[in-house]
Amino acid sequence: MKLHKKIIVSLFGHKKPCPDFDFRNVRSVLIQPLGTAVGDAVINTAYAAQIKKMYPQAHIGIFVTPRNREILSHCPAVDELVELKWPSFFKHRKKWDLFLDFHEVFTSRELIKNKILSPRATMIFKKKEKPHYHLGNIKNYDFYCPFSPREHVSRHLNTSEFAKHHPVPAPEICFGFAEEEKRQAAPFWQAGGKIKVFVAPQGSVPFKAVEPRDLAALLNKLAPELRPRVQFLLCRTKTAEAFFAALTGLLDADIDIRLSAPTTLQQYIAVTASADLVISVDSGTAHLACAAKRPLLSFYVEHNINTWSPLHRADVPHFMMIAKTGYDQADDEYKSWLFREDFPVQDGADWLNTQLRGLLPDSATNPPPPPPPPGSALIRHLIQNTSERVVNLDKLTYAGNLQSLAAVAGSPRYTFEHADICDRAALERIFAQHQPRAVMHLAAESHVDRSIDSAGEFIQTNIVGTFTLLEAARAYFEKQPENQRAAFRFHHISTDEVYGDLHDSDGLFTETTPYAPSSPYSASKASGDHLVRAWQRTYRLPTLITNCSNNYGPCHFPEKLIPHIILNALSGRPLPIYGDGSQIRDWLYVEDHARALHTVVTHGKTGQTYNIGGHNEKTNLEVVQTVCALLEELAPRKPDGVARYADLITHVPDRPGHDKRYAIDAAKIQRELGWTPQETFDSGIRKTVQWYLENQDWWQNVLNGNYRLQRLGGR
């Protein structure tokens, strides 16, 4: 080691430990962001928001540079912008309770800076190894929080030391736009009432760029009726004029596209926020569009999509045009990633036309449909966050609702097939027509109470149906060429109820827990699991099994506990709780489950089982009381005669064979595949209640069918 490096390590590479740091009482937090680019800064606002939610009274500071200051000044969770300069380090010496250092490497400057700051406690995250500075000789921190390389950068706090002491909120962009800022953008558009589409085909570095030929191919597929009603504004960069000249030479004459005037960063933010839709490469513009809640069409490759994709809201349309060919590390760093034959132009064009039609003034009276139901949350995830084509096979039984499928019905990558998994002929036709590379088997009769009243349908669907689907998949699989057989997967989605009851135990269900189902429903699902394993062992069908805990979230069928309680409370009906309500379940937000399923089918090892849990054990009584408390806050106008929602709680005789406790150990999927839930129960249940309050039309349509807020299984 060089002498000066040794001296720096000796003087600045250590700090006085803080073994008694109290995570329950944090008064001030200083953040060293990860990166300084615009997109980096937008992502870092999620950290500030998470801390502010955990510690509402804490003073939150964040280091800024001229490059990211404007962005971070828009984050309402940040109380103080701290200049990343030497005088500022001395000014802030010993000022902070906790310093969060997201910087990826130890450097001499960083070591000296952190020593000057001398916060009470320091938390660092994953650090890259350097010859002279590394975790072996640098000890200037109190808490080290490594993370999975597959994990999105916004989730670092969710798996940090914080999670041992607090429920860490799911990461969300925290960005404020003032209306007067948006008005600054008006001179840039000159759109004359047209739909405004902001286009950013080039990033801050050359390799983050879409080629003019590809962008022209996309824009030339704009529907004829839309062309006079849409204006495209091309983002100005250092090389924008040459790009614009090349692009316009390839575009149809009736495409209205203009080159933006030069902008300040503040004006650029305003232009992005004022657009009706944004088209952007992997750049700060894409992140700003998500912050502004703008519909976004983005260009990505699979190389970094898992770690740096924008944090978009599930209720805002976002289509990723993903080039499947990954980045070749042997190539020049600045090679264009998107100059490829697999660029999905048609898919992007179909999505763009659909979104623009929805933005026409005459479509304002037709609001977008609500999101699909829990059984379709996976479809929503696949359509919005990947480039996968999805065939949805559904029998549409009593719980089926075509209205809930409307959110994805317009996608060119979505196909609906009305069929029964017990119908072998229909399955063979669907396999032959659509040629899937994976089957994700979620079809099931799923309500325990109904299985007690009528077990036959559960045996037919969950056992016979699984057998029929396995046989159809096997026949299809065996006809495929060798390379396609190697890529094929049959993913069977099951439940934690197959494991039985954890009563009188503080243990958790693992993938090796013996099966001991208690109800007709869980017995039928256990049978399906055994069939899948048998087809793997006997026929070498490449299968995967996941067992999940209790799902909840938007569009859940109203006989399930949480929506049943919400809707009963809103109508002033009794809130029935079986027995004393002490039954414990592990609750998993439906969108977390969807992410996990996609992770397993794409990265899981065939023949394996993965448990998926939310790490949210709650008694049924706690769940109902939480819903009542949220309704007091969010729906204070109660039905006549109701003083408090909690007064409606009614204890009813317990159902037969009712298991006392379920709890999932999800360590395997976290360890091997890098998945962890993003939602705590507190954040997820608030979103769920809010959704039911805002989507009365959806559940009223459900209730107008055969279902009438009845729960079964009382015998």
Side-chain angles (χ1 to χ4, degrees):
M1 183 185 293
K2 294 181 179 180
L3 179 60
H4 77 279
K5 299 284 188 182
K6 288 184 177 181
I7 294 173
I8 289 173
V9 169
S10 175
L11 294 176
F12 306 106
H14 303 80
K15 76 175 291 291
K16 184 179 180 180
C18 184
D20 59 343
F21 189 79
D22 185 5
F23 278 90
R24 296 167 300 178
N25 183 27
V26 177
R27 296 165 299 175
S28 58
V29 180
L30 178 62
I31 301 171
Q32 171 75 69
L34 177 60
T36 60
V38 169
D40 302 338
V42 174
I43 292 290
N44 277 279
T45 66
Y47 299 133
Q50 287 177 303
I51 296 167
K52 184 63 76 172
K53 288 179 181 178
M54 289 188 288
Y55 307 103
Q57 304 305 315
H59 185 76
I60 310 297
I62 192 165
F63 275 120
V64 297
T65 68
R67 192 180 184 194
N68 66 12
R69 183 185 184 97
E70 183 66 43
I71 300 297
L72 294 172
S73 69
H74 283 76
C75 179
V78 172
D79 300 301
E80 184 174 4
L81 303 177
V82 182
E83 296 287 344
L84 194 61
K85 296 180 179 178
W86 291 107
S88 188
F89 306 157
F90 289 97
K91 179 182 177 182
H92 287 265
R93 178 173 172 80
K94 296 186 177 182
K95 176 179 175 179
W96 303 94
D97 283 348
L98 182 62
F99 177 45
L100 303 183
D101 182 9
F102 292 100
H103 200 71
E104 289 186 311
V105 293
F106 294 119
T107 66
S108 298
R109 185 178 189 272
E110 289 294 312
L111 291 173
I112 297 170
K113 176 198 74 174
N114 293 0
K115 190 70 171 181
I116 296 171
L117 286 171
S118 292
R120 186 159 176 258
T122 297
M123 183 183 298
I124 67 170
F125 297 81
K126 187 175 181 178
K127 295 285 187 181
K128 296 178 181 177
E129 293 289 312
K130 295 181 67 177
H132 305 299
Y133 300 148
H134 48 78
L135 292 169
N137 65 352
I138 303 297
K139 304 295 180 184
N140 68 340
Y141 58 90
D142 301 278
F143 307 99
Y144 174 53
C145 306
F147 52 87
S148 167
R150 295 190 184 95
E151 191 172 62
H152 196 278
V153 292
S154 68
R155 289 195 43 79
H156 293 351
L157 292 187
N158 296 65
T159 54
S160 71
E161 192 74 19
F162 284 105
K164 299 177 182 178
H165 306 273
H166 289 283
V168 180
E172 293 181 320
I173 294 173
C174 182
F175 209 91
F177 292 92
E179 287 302 315
E180 56 267 24
E181 287 183 300
K182 294 182 183 179
R183 288 193 286 271
Q184 295 181 26
F188 292 88
W189 285 106
Q190 301 176 344
K194 292 183 178 183
I195 298 171
K196 302 186 293 292
V197 180
F198 190 41
V199 185
Q202 299 174 299
S204 57
V205 289
F207 66 84
K208 290 187 176 181
V210 62
E211 296 293 322
R213 69 161 194 182
D214 288 328
L215 183 58
L218 173 72
L219 299 186
N220 282 338
K221 293 182 181 293
L222 187 67
E225 72 273 14
L226 292 171
R227 295 186 177 203
R229 309 183 71 175
V230 178
Q231 182 186 102
F232 297 96
L233 184 66
L234 190 74
C235 162
R236 181 176 286 276
T237 63
K238 293 179 180 178
T239 59
E241 291 185 5
F243 186 100
F244 184 71
L247 177 65
T248 52
L250 299 169
L251 286 176
D252 295 340
D254 58 349
I255 301 292
D256 182 0
I257 187 166
R258 309 180 187 198
L259 182 62
S260 159
T263 62
T264 64
L265 181 54
Q266 186 180 45
Q267 290 169 329
Y268 192 90
I269 294 171
V271 170
T272 307
S274 66
D276 298 306
L277 186 145
V278 177
I279 301 174
S280 175
V281 295
D282 172 14
S283 69
T285 308
H287 295 281
L288 283 173
C290 291
K293 304 180 181 66
R294 300 292 86 193
L296 171 66
L297 189 155
S298 59
F299 306 126
Y300 270 83
V301 290
E302 292 182 330
H303 161 71
N304 67 343
I305 200 169
N306 289 331
T307 54
W308 281 103
S309 58
L311 283 175
H312 72 281
R313 288 171 54 104
D315 58 345
V316 179
H318 180 197
F319 182 83
M320 289 185 173
M321 297 181 67
I322 304 171
K324 291 293 185 182
T325 308
Y327 174 57
D328 185 353
Q329 296 288 346
D331 288 349
D332 178 49
E333 181 182 7
Y334 296 109
K335 175 182 177 180
S336 172
W337 288 347
L338 300 171
F339 194 83
R340 305 188 184 278
E341 295 302 320
D342 59 357
F343 191 77
V345 173
Q346 188 60 55
D347 292 345
D350 291 340
W351 181 91
L352 181 61
N353 280 311
T354 298
Q355 294 302 318
L356 292 174
R357 288 190 183 100
L359 291 169
L360 291 173
D362 52 6
S363 67
T365 56
N366 300 308
S376 298
L378 174 63
I379 296 171
R380 181 171 75 242
H381 176 77
L382 293 173
I383 295 298
Q384 293 184 340
N385 300 315
T386 78
S387 61
E388 301 284 2
R389 294 184 178 272
V390 179
V391 179
N392 178 26
L393 190 159
D394 199 328
K395 185 181 177 180
L396 292 179
T397 60
Y398 70 95
N401 186 347
L402 283 175
Q403 180 188 3
S404 297
L405 301 172
V408 297
S411 170
R413 295 181 293 114
Y414 172 79
T415 302
F416 176 70
E417 291 280 1
H418 188 193
D420 186 346
I421 60 169
C422 296
D423 186 343
R424 177 67 182 270
L427 293 179
E428 290 179 348
R429 175 190 63 79
I430 291 168
F431 272 104
Q433 178 178 341
H434 298 287
Q435 297 287 303
R437 64 176 180 84
V439 175
M440 303 185 75
H441 176 27
L442 295 91
E445 296 284 347
S446 63
H447 191 52
V448 176
D449 291 356
R450 283 185 179 267
S451 80
I452 296 171
D453 276 18
S454 181
E457 294 175 359
F458 288 73
I459 304 303
Q460 184 68 18
T461 299
N462 298 354
I463 301 179
V464 177
T466 298
F467 160 74
T468 307
L469 185 58
L470 281 166
E471 282 291 88
R474 179 167 74 94
Y476 167 78
F477 169 76
E478 291 175 347
K479 295 176 183 176
Q480 300 305 300
E482 181 60 35
N483 64 328
Q484 294 184 30
R485 286 202 300 271
F488 185 79
R489 298 289 184 270
F490 185 104
H491 180 186
H492 177 64
I493 289 84
S494 188
T495 172
D496 59 356
E497 298 196 35
V498 299
Y499 298 123
D501 196 352
L502 284 170
H503 187 42
D504 296 329
S505 168
D506 58 358
L508 303 172
F509 295 137
T510 71
E511 288 79 3
T512 59
T513 299
Y515 278 25
S518 302
S519 68
Y521 161 66
S522 57
S524 69
K525 291 297 292 183
S527 300
D529 293 7
H530 291 316
L531 287 173
V532 172
R533 292 192 177 97
W535 260 243
Q536 162 84 24
R537 178 77 178 264
T538 303
Y539 303 112
R540 298 292 187 262
L541 186 69
T543 66
L544 299 138
I545 295 176
T546 51
N547 298 90
C548 70
S549 58
N550 278 33
N551 278 215
Y552 72 102
C555 287
H556 213 176
F557 192 66
E559 70 184 6
K560 303 294 186 178
L561 174 64
I562 289 174
H564 185 78
I565 294 301
I566 295 171
L567 303 191
N568 268 26
L570 293 176
S571 61
R573 295 170 178 259
L575 310 182
I577 298 179
Y578 287 133
D580 61 3
S582 62
Q583 303 87 358
I584 297 171
R585 298 293 183 265
D586 177 10
W587 292 93
L588 174 66
Y589 193 64
V590 65
E591 292 177 8
D592 281 332
H593 190 202
R595 287 191 306 101
L597 295 180
H598 183 232
T599 299
V600 170
V601 80
T602 53
H603 299 293
K605 184 178 179 182
T606 58
Q608 292 294 303
T609 297
Y610 299 91
N611 281 351
I612 306 170
H615 309 305
N616 293 309
E617 288 188 58
K618 302 287 181 182
T619 68
N620 287 348
L621 182 58
E622 285 179 296
V623 171
V624 175
Q625 289 171 336
T626 300
V627 170
C628 289
L630 284 169
L631 288 173
E632 292 286 350
E633 173 190 345
L634 302 174
R637 292 188 63 181
K638 303 175 185 64
D640 292 341
V642 178
R644 298 186 312 132
Y645 288 111
D647 295 339
L648 298 170
I649 294 175
T650 305
H651 293 272
V652 300
D654 208 352
R655 72 184 182 206
H658 202 173
D659 291 333
K660 184 70 173 180
R661 175 174 173 259
Y662 301 149
I664 284 277
D665 181 353
K668 179 178 177 179
I669 189 173
Q670 178 177 352
R671 181 179 63 252
E672 296 185 8
L673 305 181
W675 175 89
T676 55
Q678 293 183 357
E679 298 290 345
T680 65
F681 184 76
D682 288 341
S683 65
I685 194 65
R686 176 175 287 276
K687 289 182 178 180
T688 301
V689 172
Q690 190 72 55
W691 187 89
Y692 279 93
L693 293 174
E694 295 174 354
N695 291 273
Q696 182 173 345
D697 288 347
W698 181 89
W699 52 263
Q700 283 289 4
N701 287 341
V702 175
L703 300 183
N704 289 337
N706 295 324
Y707 178 74
R708 289 293 185 270
L709 287 177
Q710 299 172 357
R711 302 195 82 199
L712 308 176
R715 293 199 297 266

